[in-house]
């Protein structure tokens, strides 16, 4: 079962452990382990289907009211600022708002509240990140190769990226400078940017939020989505096919690939 449950408020750069280690405990929340599709049926077919926003209730217990106050204040700040927090179950995560809390038990040294959790997308995701470094490839994730039968004298370096899945998966990129007009080919699609990324800078391609951001060495952020390509075979937000694919680039810069495995429910295992 679950080893660790945490909440990461978007408004404050902290992580709150909800597994009981710091005195706040969240139960096994069977409601969040349930999945639901919104669909429109036509005959024997589903004409439309999607996972949509939904609310579920979970129970939180603590012996320390000060910790409960702090947690609820952070949840309220996320709602006030309209910035979803992140609920994590082991390595799986969902974007949520805590939109209601109801006191159910008040005893000496024991307090219990029922939280109404709004899942903003109705989807849980688990990231698998692969790092591609000039002249040295490293990766972590399911079924990822750790030996590479290629010749470094070639102008392009290649390997294969793959996850066991039944559907295409969203995929993000982080490209590190220095590099001009980077090109990365994955599974036949070229992820291309016409931009200069200086040493100490990086570009983050966020396919889930449809953003392409240049981050300077001082932390300044600037959208460069207008410098990206969106044609059929050069789509900066193209997902990873279910069969995976070969990754190639000119070996002149470093980058990370983050593939998001998706589920409609919190994990059982």
């Amino acid at each position: 079962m679950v080893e660790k449950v945490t909440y990461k408020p978007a408004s404050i750069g902290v992580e709150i452990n909800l597994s009981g280690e710091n005195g706040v405990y969240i139960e096994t929340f069977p409601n969040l382990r349930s999945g639901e599709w919104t669909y429109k049926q036509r005959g024997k077919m589903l004409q439309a289907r999607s996972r949509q926003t939904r609310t579920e209730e979970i129970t939180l217990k603590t012996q320390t009211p000060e910790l409960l106050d702090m947690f609820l204040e952070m949840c309220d700040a996320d709602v006030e600022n309209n910035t979803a927090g992140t609920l994590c179950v082991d390595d799986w995560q969902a974007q949520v708002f805590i939109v209601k809390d109801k006191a159910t038990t008040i005893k000496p040294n024991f307090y219990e509240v029922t939280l109404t959790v709004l899942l903003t997308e109705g989807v849980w995701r688990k990231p698998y990140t692969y790092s591609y470094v000039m002249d040295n490839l490293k990766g972590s994730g399911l079924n990822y190769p750790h030996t590479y039968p290629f010749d470094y004298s070639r102008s392009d370096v290649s390997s294969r990226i793959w996850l066991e899945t039944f559907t295409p998966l969203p995929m993000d990129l982080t490209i590190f400078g220095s590099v001009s007009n980077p090109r990365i080919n994955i599974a036949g699609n070229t992820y291309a940017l016409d931009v200069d990324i200086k040493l100490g800078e990086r570009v983050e391609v966020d396919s889930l939020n449809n953003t392409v951001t240049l981050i300077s060495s001082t932390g300044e952020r600037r959208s460069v989505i207008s410098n990206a390509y969106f044609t059929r075979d050069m789509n900066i937000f193209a997902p990873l096919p279910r069969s995976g694919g070969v990754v190639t680039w000119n070996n002149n810069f470093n980058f990370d690939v983050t593939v998001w495995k998706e589920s409609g429910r919190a994990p059982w295992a």
Side-chain angles (χ1 to χ4, degrees):
M1 293 297 290
V2 174
E3 295 181 356
K4 186 176 182 181
V5 181
T6 61
Y7 180 75
K8 300 177 182 178
S11 304
I12 306 171
V14 298
E15 179 178 281
I16 303 170
N17 190 310
L18 302 178
S19 301
E21 297 176 9
N22 63 349
V24 181
Y25 172 70
I26 197 171
E27 290 191 329
T28 55
F29 48 83
N31 290 348
L32 292 182
R33 297 185 192 281
S34 303
E36 181 178 354
W37 286 94
T38 298
Y39 61 89
K40 183 177 181 181
Q41 184 179 0
R42 186 175 183 179
K44 296 182 179 181
M45 304 293 291
L46 296 179
Q47 187 176 12
R49 62 272 186 203
S50 64
R51 300 192 190 275
Q52 296 188 358
T53 298
R54 74 177 199 268
T55 58
E56 300 290 355
E57 291 186 345
I58 58 177
T59 301
L60 188 71
K61 301 177 180 180
T62 184
Q63 295 180 325
T64 309
E66 292 83 4
L67 291 176
L68 182 59
D69 284 337
M70 180 185 68
F71 171 72
L72 294 176
E73 287 176 8
M74 292 178 178
C75 295
D76 287 344
D78 282 344
V79 175
E80 288 281 353
N81 296 327
N82 199 26
T83 52
T86 304
L87 183 63
C88 300
V89 179
D90 290 335
D91 294 328
W92 290 85
Q93 55 186 262
Q95 299 300 299
V96 304
F97 287 105
I98 310 297
V99 294
K100 182 179 179 180
D101 56 278
K102 181 180 180 180
T104 54
T105 303
I106 302 175
K107 295 181 179 179
N109 300 320
F110 182 78
Y111 309 88
E112 183 178 83
V113 297
T114 299
L115 305 177
T116 299
V117 181
L118 172 67
L119 287 86
T120 63
E121 302 169 289
V123 172
W124 291 79
R125 297 186 176 94
K126 180 178 180 178
Y128 291 81
T129 298
Y130 305 84
S131 295
Y132 291 81
V133 181
M134 289 183 290
D135 289 344
N136 181 24
L137 300 184
K138 296 183 294 182
S140 62
L142 185 65
N143 293 323
Y144 188 78
H146 291 277
T147 57
Y148 307 93
F150 51 75
D151 185 347
Y152 281 114
S153 66
R154 293 169 50 189
S155 60
D156 288 346
V157 174
S158 67
S159 69
R160 184 174 181 82
I161 188 170
W162 179 75
L163 280 175
E164 188 174 357
T165 182
F166 301 105
T167 59
L169 299 176
M171 188 167 61
D172 298 342
L173 298 172
T174 302
I175 303 172
F176 301 96
S178 61
V179 59
S180 295
N181 305 332
R183 302 288 191 268
I184 303 167
N185 190 283
I186 303 176
N189 180 79
T190 299
Y191 300 80
L193 277 170
D194 289 342
V195 66
D196 291 330
I197 308 173
K198 299 178 182 178
L199 186 65
E201 296 182 338
R202 69 184 187 275
V203 166
E204 294 183 353
V205 179
D206 185 342
S207 64
L208 298 176
N209 295 301
N210 293 330
T211 61
V212 183
T213 307
L214 175 65
I215 303 172
S216 72
S217 57
T218 59
E220 297 177 1
R221 305 174 69 91
R222 176 170 63 91
S223 175
V224 290
I225 194 169
S226 60
N227 301 87
Y229 285 75
F230 296 95
T231 60
R232 179 178 179 181
D233 297 321
M234 296 182 69
N235 183 356
I236 198 71
F237 295 140
L240 180 71
R242 57 177 295 185
S243 58
V246 174
V247 181
T248 61
W249 91 110
N250 64 8
N251 199 30
N252 287 336
F253 60 95
N254 303 332
F255 65 96
D256 290 345
V257 178
T258 298
V259 183
W260 293 94
K261 201 167 186 177
E262 295 187 335
S263 175
R265 61 199 61 81
W268 285 93

